[in-house]
Amino acid sequence: MRTFRTTRAAAVLSLMVALVFALTGCGADSTSSAPTSASASSVSGSGAESSVSDAASGSGAPSGAVSGAPSVSAVLDPAHPPPYVDHVTWVSTAVGPSLQIYPTPNGRASIADDGAQVAWREVLALAPDADTPGMNAQFVCHWNFARAVDPNKPSWNIEPQRPVVDDSTMIATRCNPGAPEE
């Protein structure tokens, strides 16, 4: 009985949070996250590196599974299997480094219970230096809420300098604790 109440409470909370995001938005639009440095690079799901201009044009950033990435043993959303991340790009912004994560169409649509964990492993295969609790929390927030509010946002941007916060603060700050999205 307790598990049912906990699951139901979590579902109600998720719907309430989605409504808050829908009414307030989730950070700035992607046009405000342009790199301020020409040294930004992109890593695709195939492990190839390309320039930001290549990433923006869609060339040089093929979709695909990462060689050596952990395999997914059970996909709970067979209509939207991995990979969930097309490529990632580190850029320099006015507030410091930012990892732009470009999801695949299946990453935008998946309802797999373990989708966030599978996608995070893909991110770490492309950007191992992103493996911090704060960046993981920002990513999970984007996976759970931001993609529902703005499903066509080109990238989900997470930053290592943002503070580690509790879930309610993460939600209240629209996945951008410490400062608005850059």
Side-chain angles (χ1 to χ4, degrees):
M1 183 73 161
R2 180 171 207 153
T3 302
F4 174 74
R5 281 190 217 147
T6 303
T7 303
R8 185 174 176 168
V12 170
L13 178 62
S14 293
L15 288 173
M16 291 174 52
V17 169
L19 180 60
V20 168
F21 275 113
L23 295 174
T24 63
C26 181
D29 67 34
S30 63
T31 59
S32 67
S33 61
T36 57
S37 167
S39 65
S41 64
S42 172
V43 181
S44 72
S46 65
E49 188 167 312
S50 63
S51 69
V52 172
S53 60
D54 288 342
S57 69
S59 66
S63 176
V66 177
S67 174
S71 64
V72 178
S73 60
V75 176
L76 300 177
D77 184 1
H80 303 101
Y84 296 141
V85 176
D86 184 287
H87 67 282
V88 302
T89 303
W90 278 107
V91 297
S92 294
T93 68
V95 297
S98 178
L99 182 63
Q100 296 177 332
I101 300 164
Y102 293 84
T104 64
N106 282 354
R108 294 178 188 285
S110 176
I111 58 169
D113 289 343
D114 64 345
Q117 294 83 8
V118 171
W120 182 244
R121 286 192 302 266
E122 291 178 24
V123 169
L124 295 181
L126 298 170
D129 47 346
D131 193 11
T132 69
M135 290 190 60
N136 177 260
Q138 291 171 63
F139 177 81
V140 169
C141 184
H142 279 80
W143 181 270
N144 288 336
F145 304 112
R147 71 187 183 129
V149 173
D150 190 359
N152 297 316
K153 185 177 181 202
S155 67
W156 304 331
N157 308 325
I158 62 175
E159 294 81 23
Q161 70 274 11
R162 292 191 184 278
V164 176
V165 297
D166 60 37
D167 290 343
S168 62
T169 301
M170 182 66 75
I171 292 166
T173 60
R174 299 184 312 261
C175 306
N176 297 295
E181 182 177 12
E182 183 57 29

